[in-house]
Amino acid sequence: MTTGPFYLGVDLGSTTAKAVVIDGDGEIVSSSTIAMGAVSRAGMQRAVDEALASAGITTADLSGTISTGYGRRLVPGAQRTFTEITCHARGTSAMVPGVRLVIDIGGQDSKAITVDDDGLVQEFAMNDRCASGTGRFYEVLAQSIDVPLEEVGALALTGSNDLEVSTMCATFAETEIVSLLAQDAPIADIASSVHRAIAARTLALVAQVGRHTPVVLTGGVAQNPAAVAFLARALNTEVLVPPHPQITGAYGAALLARDADKRGRVVVDDVAGADELFPRPSQPHSCGSCDGTLTSASTPTSVDLGLPIRLGG
């Protein structure tokens, strides 16, 4: 059995709760991912309980806890909270040393983060006001063509015809997909065309921070083989996927908790103005007056951090 100290990282996202327990060497002891459908204290607690049980410990055995995600302030026992940008960068850099561009696609937002040669965050851009290019868009596709979500990626890889998908808004996507079905378009072609369009949308997000390699894709969407393939094609480079792409944020939070315990302080600074840039989950997507194009309602937030944020090892 692994002995302590132990550290817990919790990522309470918009649709899933992730918890990771690491040891004093930063190795993952256990993890848990719980699908919630919406930000949920119950889902968060279940993820924490499962991770602790799998590690064979209780909260009394923890030497530190840090939370992140939309519901980061809902996690009891956390000594500090950090934004997803900081935690995803920390966790991904540990999982894939040398990463230069992290693309994280979650249930209701997507992020592009650049990391320099020294492991410092340079810039980030995020889309949290429009569901286009997020996990929600893939869900709409799966529901519209009546295919299980976990099978959509494999289906999309078999499509051969590039259909026109003009609307990149999750609110109106179902109508457009139904229209294509009415034209008797093969569902494989519809799936591949939607994946291609989402990759193009992600490419526009990456353009906010600049292309860098190696590229790592994280988040639940990283488990979709077509999403990885079409993004690699759009970027014209290989896109790497870490062994556990959904838990990079929680892993990064746990590593920050370990850093704080070992050094007496956390060696990174969080994004300035975090509460404004990363609002509480009670604020839904601002779809009003959005026509599916890059307008003020859907333009990604791009931030040059100015002073580097040290990810510290």
Side-chain angles (χ1 to χ4, degrees):
M1 176 181 175
T2 304
T3 58
F6 298 102
Y7 305 94
L8 175 66
V10 181
D11 180 3
L12 183 52
S14 59
T15 59
T16 58
K18 287 80 65 176
V20 172
V21 175
I22 64 171
D23 61 19
D25 295 324
E27 297 296 324
I28 296 176
V29 177
S30 66
S31 66
S32 177
T33 300
I34 301 297
M36 303 176 299
V39 175
S40 163
R41 288 179 185 268
M44 174 272 299
Q45 193 59 57
R46 182 181 166 194
V48 170
D49 291 344
E50 288 190 5
L52 293 176
S54 180
I57 63 175
T58 67
T59 53
D61 299 307
L62 295 172
S63 296
T65 300
I66 284 181
S67 61
T68 188
Y70 278 97
R72 61 191 180 279
R73 302 190 187 282
L74 304 179
V75 179
Q79 285 81 39
R80 187 170 176 182
T81 66
F82 277 86
T83 61
E84 307 95 289
I85 298 299
T86 301
C87 291
H88 279 292
R90 182 71 173 93
T92 306
S93 294
M95 281 189 181
V96 187
V99 60
R100 295 295 176 265
L101 174 62
V102 179
I103 300 173
D104 179 76
I105 303 180
Q108 295 192 38
D109 70 18
S110 53
K111 299 174 280 288
I113 312 164
T114 56
V115 183
D116 70 12
D117 293 341
D118 298 318
L120 305 178
V121 176
Q122 294 179 307
E123 294 182 74
F124 73 86
M126 68 179 298
N127 170 25
D128 67 341
R129 299 185 179 184
C130 177
S132 66
T134 69
R136 175 57 186 155
F137 205 106
Y138 292 95
E139 291 177 357
V140 170
L141 168 64
Q143 293 167 2
S144 299
I145 62 176
D146 196 23
V147 171
L149 181 60
E150 60 273 15
E151 298 177 13
V152 165
L155 176 67
L157 290 174
T158 67
S160 57
N161 295 320
D162 186 9
L163 307 175
E164 182 179 355
V165 179
S166 58
T167 298
M168 279 305 296
C169 172
T171 303
F172 303 118
E174 186 172 7
T175 298
E176 186 163 12
I177 293 171
V178 168
S179 177
L180 290 172
L181 289 171
Q183 298 171 41
D184 205 24
I187 60 172
D189 290 345
I190 295 174
S192 65
S193 298
V194 170
H195 277 71
R196 187 178 294 106
I198 294 175
R201 184 76 169 204
T202 305
L203 186 63
L205 183 68
V206 170
Q208 300 287 317
V209 299
R211 299 192 197 188
H212 301 269
T213 56
V215 181
V216 176
L217 179 64
T218 64
V221 171
Q223 299 174 100
N224 178 328
V228 178
F230 281 103
L231 181 58
R233 193 177 305 173
L235 291 170
N236 194 30
T237 190
E238 181 183 13
V239 173
L240 304 174
V241 177
H244 309 287
Q246 276 192 287
I247 65 170
T248 52
Y251 180 41
L255 289 171
L256 290 172
R258 184 197 64 149
D259 294 343
D261 182 51
K262 288 185 174 295
R263 306 187 186 197
R265 63 184 180 87
V266 180
V267 295
V268 300
D269 295 322
D270 203 8
V271 175
D275 287 334
E276 289 71 33
L277 289 171
F278 302 86
R280 290 287 293 274
S282 58
Q283 301 183 27
H285 290 127
S286 302
C287 292
S289 76
C290 175
D291 62 359
T293 61
L294 282 175
T295 66
S296 58
S298 57
T299 301
T301 300
S302 179
V303 176
D304 183 341
L305 298 179
L307 296 177
I309 291 182
R310 184 164 296 280
L311 298 178

